[in-house]
């Protein structure tokens, strides 16, 4: 994997469902992985910055895990709410320190 | 409160004109970035800077330039605007490699 890949591209769930999505990235030369939440008509906002293999981070109902050896991170949302509807972006830190983004997973939560 | 602001928020320009989009941050961050957002592509890096007088090309730098004369500002210039540069542009800044990035509100540019 040369770049950051996210799956699925989009997801529709019912309120109360728990969900998760995947971010895959090159496992070599790992520096850090970022997750952002991007609501329509707003700017991306950081959820997590993860640097160590095995990292698990949590913010309310949202949590993320990191596996740098196999090159993936999972984002979990427990008990989805309509206000969780957004595009979730992950980004790896490149060798130049720049952020390389995936195309995102668009989550829609129906009441 | 510290912030990052972009101006203008919306701009329509004609093909061939020079356009400059402003980005100003008050966090005193050394690292600043410009991205463009297009359907099917997500956020793609145009240029970035790690400090005053430092500029670097990103993935899609052709037709764009930046300058960094102070810590707070990283203006993005389209030398001769093309219709392919119609997009939403986001500026971002962060303290270092292991910290989160803060994004501006975006500038929607239309080249006609």
């Amino acid at each position: 994997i040369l770049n950051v890949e996210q799956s699925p591209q989009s997801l529709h769930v019912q309120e109360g469902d728990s969900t998760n999505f995947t971010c895959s990235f090159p496992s070599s030369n790992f520096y850090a992985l970022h997750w952002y939440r991007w609501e329509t008509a707003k700017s991306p906002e950081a959820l997590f910055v993860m640097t160590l293999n095995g990292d698990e981070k949590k913010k309310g109902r949202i949590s993320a895990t990191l596996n740098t050896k196999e090159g993936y991170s999972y984002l979990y949302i427990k008990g989805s709410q309509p206000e969780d509807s957004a595009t979730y972006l992950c980004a790896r830190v490149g060798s130049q320190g720049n952020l390389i983004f995936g195309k995102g997973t668009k989550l829609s939560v129906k009441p | 409160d510290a912030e990052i602001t972009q101006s203008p928020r919306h701009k329509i320009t004609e093909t061939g004109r020079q356009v400059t989009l402003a980005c100003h941050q008050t966090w005193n961050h050394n690292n600043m970035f410009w991205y463009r957002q297009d359907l099917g592509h997500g956020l793609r890096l145009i240029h970035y800077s790690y400090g005053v007088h430092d500029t670097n090309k990103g993935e899609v730098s052709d037709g764009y330039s930046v300058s960094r004369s102070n810590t707070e500002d990283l203006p993005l210039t389209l030398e001769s605007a093309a219709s392919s540069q119609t997009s939403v542009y986001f500026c971002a800044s962060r303290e270092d490699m292991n910290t989160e990035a803060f994004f501006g509100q975006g500038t929607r540019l239309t080249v006609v």
Side-chain angles (χ1 to χ4, degrees), chain A residues 14-34:
Chain A
Q14 289 291 135
E15 182 175 357
D17 287 351
S18 292
T19 187
N20 66 84
F21 8 101
T22 305
C23 174
S24 301
F25 51 86
S27 56
S28 58
N29 300 317
F30 177 82
Y31 298 97
L33 188 86
H34 294 216

Side-chain angles (χ1 to χ4, degrees), chain A residues 59-98:
Chain A
K59 187 181 285 189
R61 293 179 291 99
I62 304 176
S63 60
T65 61
L66 178 66
N67 183 323
T68 61
K69 292 184 178 180
E70 295 182 40
Y72 65 84
S73 176
Y74 293 139
L75 189 80
Y76 302 90
I77 302 178
K78 184 178 178 181
S80 302
Q81 300 297 308
E83 58 264 31
D84 295 328
S85 297
T87 296
Y88 291 83
L89 298 172
C90 74
R92 70 176 181 94
V93 175
S95 59
Q96 305 291 322
N98 50 315

